Structures are given as structure tokens and as C-alpha cells.
């Protein structure tokens, strides 16, 4: 199959090397995986550069962002938070301890179920969450500014189809 590529990216050289060495591993799975990882790394670098301004780690940012996206009163149960972030309960507890110490989240008992609790953004946490999400979004938009909108939309739709075909489904309702 002869494919003419007008423009090349950093993954093309890696794929070419594998085609020369082990052609059987240089299929779409390699290209898709490497390109998805490269895109995630570039977007992550843009985001992380902004998070340092807020003194947040990527994991702390993700907790704040998920709580803010939950809508008022900006709270979730720790188990729902862990599920949405794909974290262990221990990892979630450590993050919540740091964020509580920083005054960005508060733990509250569930008035209807004494065995359960809520994690809620504080007023300061809401402000930091919104500011950091805006900064990260702006940095990602700046990174992607040269990607035509129809190209971005086609990539979004194609990746959604791949994920659905792989059985990726929401683990928890967002509301």
C-alpha cells in the first residue's frame, strides 16, 4: 500500500524504523497508540506549564476540575471522585488530604448516611478550579491554533468511534 504523506510528524520516523526492523508491528495499532500518546503529551505539557502558576500538581488539578464540573454545590462522594479519575481509594485519600490542607476542598459528613461523606470545593477551591481550568484550556487552544477546525472535529469523531468500538463507556454518571 503506497501512501504519500505530504507532511510528517515525529511518529513517522519511529514507524518507519519499525517497518524496516519488524514490519509486523508497524500497523495501525502502533501508529494510533503513538500518535495518541504524543498528542496527550503535548496537551499535557501545555496544561502542566499553567498548573505551576497555581502551585497544583496534575492530579490535584484533575480533582478540582472534576468537582467544578459536577456543578453546584461542587461536591461528590470520594468513591465517585476516584472512579471518575481512575484512582485508587488510597491515592484519592492522599490527594484529598493535600487539597484539604490547602483549603481548596472540605470533607463533609452525609446527613442521610452516616457511613458516607462528601468532598466539596471551598470558595477558594472554586476560584482556583475555574482559573486553572481556564488557563489550561487557553494553553491547549494556543497549542492547537494551527489545526483547522474541520481537522480537529474529524480527529475527535474518529477517536470517539475507536473508544466506543473498544467498549469504553462512562463508569459513572457525571450528575
Amino acid at each position: 500500500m503506497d501512501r504519500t504523506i505530504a507532511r510528517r510528524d515525529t511518529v513517522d520516523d519511529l514507524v518507519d524504523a519499525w517497518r524496516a526492523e519488524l514490519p509486523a508491528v508497524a500497523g495501525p495499532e502502533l501508529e494510533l497508540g503513538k500518535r495518541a500518546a504524543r498528542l496527550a503529551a503535548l496537551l499535557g505539557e501545555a496544561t502542566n506549564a499553567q498548573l505551576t502558576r497555581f502551585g497544583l500538581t496534575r492530579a490535584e488539578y484533575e480533582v478540582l476540575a472534576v468537582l467544578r464540573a459536577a456543578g453546584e454545590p461542587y461536591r461528590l462522594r470520594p468513591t465517585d471522585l476516584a472512579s471518575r479519575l481512575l484512582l485508587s481509594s488510597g491515592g484519592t485519600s492522599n490527594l484529598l488530604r493535600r487539597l484539604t490542607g490547602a483549603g481548596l476542598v472540605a470533607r463533609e459528613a452525609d446527613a442521610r448516611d452516616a457511613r458516607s461523606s462528601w468532598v466539596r470545593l471551598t470558595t477558594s477551591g472554586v476560584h482556583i478550579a475555574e482559573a486553572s481550568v481556564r488557563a489550561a484550556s487557553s494553553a491547549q487552544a494556543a497549542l492547537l491554533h494551527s489545526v483547522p477546525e474541520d481537522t480537529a472535529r474529524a480527529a475527535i469523531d474518529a477517536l470517539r468511534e475507536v473508544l466506543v468500538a473498544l467498549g469504553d463507556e462512562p463508569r459513572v454518571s457525571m450528575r
Side-chain angles (χ1 to χ4, degrees):
M1 172 173 152
D2 181 34
R3 293 187 321 151
T4 305
I5 300 173
R7 298 175 66 180
R8 292 178 59 85
D9 64 19
T10 57
V11 174
D12 288 321
D13 291 339
L14 175 66
V15 172
D16 288 348
W18 280 113
R19 268 195 195 106
E21 294 298 317
L22 287 172
V25 302
E29 62 281 357
L30 176 70
E31 288 192 65
L32 182 60
K34 294 299 182 186
R35 283 196 170 82
R38 181 69 178 134
L39 178 59
L42 291 169
L43 291 169
E45 289 169 11
T47 298
N48 292 340
Q50 297 303 309
L51 297 183
T52 59
R53 295 179 29 221
F54 297 95
L56 296 173
T57 67
R58 182 61 180 250
E60 292 165 342
Y61 164 77
E62 295 294 342
V63 168
L64 297 178
V66 166
L67 287 169
R68 177 58 186 87
E72 286 193 65
Y74 311 120
R75 72 179 191 175
L76 291 169
R77 295 185 189 285
T79 54
D80 292 336
L81 192 57
S83 179
R84 289 182 191 187
L85 296 171
L86 304 176
L87 293 173
S88 68
S89 60
T92 302
S93 292
N94 289 335
L95 283 168
L96 295 178
R97 210 174 358 267
R98 288 196 313 257
L99 291 168
T100 300
L104 300 176
V105 301
R107 303 285 300 256
E108 300 173 337
D110 185 338
R112 294 184 302 190
D113 182 355
R115 299 166 297 164
S116 188
S117 66
W118 294 96
V119 177
R120 175 188 52 81
L121 285 177
T122 63
T123 301
S124 178
V126 172
H127 294 302
I128 294 293
E130 289 177 3
S132 62
V133 167
R134 283 189 171 101
S137 180
S138 292
Q140 291 173 352
L143 175 70
L144 296 170
H145 81 279
S146 63
V147 178
E149 188 175 337
D150 59 334
T151 300
R153 178 51 50 201
I156 291 164
D157 292 342
L159 287 171
R160 181 183 304 107
E161 286 183 38
V162 168
L163 291 170
V164 169
L166 294 175
D168 190 36
E169 297 175 2
R171 288 173 168 63
V172 183
S173 164
M174 285 306 287
R175 291 274 173 164

